[in-house]
Amino acid sequence: MNPKCAKCSKTVYPVEKLNCLDKYWHKGCFRCTTCSMTLNMKNYKGYDKLPYCHAHYPTTKFTAVADTPENLRIKKNTSNQSAIKYTAGFREQQGTKTSVVTDPENERVKRNSQNQSLAQYHNLAEQRNEENQRRSAAADDLAGTYRQDLDGGARAQQPLPDLPPNDGYDPEPVGQPQPPKAVGSLYGRDEPEPEPAPVAPPQQQMGGGGGGGGARYQAIYDYSAAAEDEVSFLEGDHIINGEVIDEGWMTGTVERTGRQGMLPSNYVEPLQ
């Protein structure tokens, strides 16, 4: 069934049918609503589903409104609810940065944060635990060596007991090693045994003064111990018996306090 024309309400046949603005028109009825100028598909402009020419196309006009207290209140509420202020504040803060003074403590915190981020990203927690165990084992070995040196020095300083002369036969006690006897003496009575030379006590690695045989360093920053196996020192202190055991860590003795333990190697510098 043929549709009706939107202008004259007559039947529109396919030969003269024009489909535009959701309606059907005769080619002769498709005119401007204001001036009745004949339009086509190239020069028309639609408004409210009606054809217009370019000259009579309706335009939007602003209406002047008085600035009454009620209108000002509505304007303020609208601006507060709008996202314009929020985005403007965000754009003002975007790209700004806060200057921070670079010091050893901030560098240490930054490095620890980076290490923690890398540990979470690359799953390096096991490697960190192995490093901690290796550091603990090194500290335990150092402490054991120090205790052995102390025990050896104490034994060397003890005087030998005075034994009474024994001219008769004295059987050797079972289970104890005996010194070798001189050739030609059956029981060691023909030649007197030479007296043992006194043993000099070993040098104490931990002491209030004196320098050690290891490398010497000087502290360039203050450091407070964060664990039991670490030592604290002040800027300018001398570190003796220094030995690097891990990346960023070393062992040594603070000459001023006599305490020995682990310390960060980037807080000290070697002495010339």
Side-chain angles (χ1 to χ4, degrees), residues 1-128:
M1 183 177 180
N2 296 323
K4 300 293 183 180
C5 178
K7 180 71 174 176
C8 63
S9 301
K10 294 181 181 180
T11 303
V12 181
Y13 295 98
V15 177
E16 55 181 355
K17 183 171 65 174
L18 185 65
N19 186 6
C20 184
L21 299 175
D22 295 337
K23 297 179 182 179
Y24 296 98
W25 312 78
H26 290 106
K27 292 182 180 179
C29 295
F30 191 64
R31 298 171 178 270
C32 175
T33 306
T34 303
C35 64
S36 298
M37 184 181 73
T38 303
L39 303 174
N40 53 36
M41 299 300 294
K42 295 182 179 180
N43 61 357
Y44 87 98
K45 297 186 70 174
Y47 181 82
D48 198 14
K49 293 188 178 182
L50 295 176
Y52 290 91
C53 63
H54 289 277
H56 297 95
Y57 181 74
T59 58
T60 304
K61 297 181 180 179
F62 296 97
T63 304
V65 180
D67 290 337
T68 60
E70 182 64 19
N71 290 337
L72 293 177
R73 184 185 65 82
I74 294 174
K75 178 182 177 182
K76 184 177 180 181
N77 291 342
T78 304
S79 63
N80 291 338
Q81 295 175 1
S82 175
I84 297 177
K85 282 191 174 182
Y86 175 77
T87 55
F90 172 75
R91 289 174 181 173
E92 288 179 359
Q93 296 178 0
Q94 189 177 15
T96 59
K97 63 179 181 179
T98 304
S99 300
V100 180
V101 179
T102 302
D103 57 357
E105 183 64 21
N106 290 338
E107 290 294 333
R108 184 182 65 81
V109 173
K110 179 181 178 181
R111 186 166 57 255
N112 291 342
S113 301
Q114 292 177 352
N115 293 338
Q116 292 175 3
S117 300
L118 291 175
Q120 293 178 0
Y121 181 76
H122 296 289
N123 195 16
L124 300 179
E126 296 181 358
Q127 297 183 6
R128 185 62 178 174

Side-chain angles (χ1 to χ4, degrees), residues 152 155-160 193-201:
R155 286 196 297 268
Q157 292 176 0
Q158 291 180 357
L160 296 176
E193 294 183 0
E195 296 182 359
V199 180

Side-chain angles (χ1 to χ4, degrees), residues 39 42 104 169 204 244 251:
L39 303 174
K42 295 182 179 180
Y169 171 73
Q204 300 290 336
V244 178
T251 59

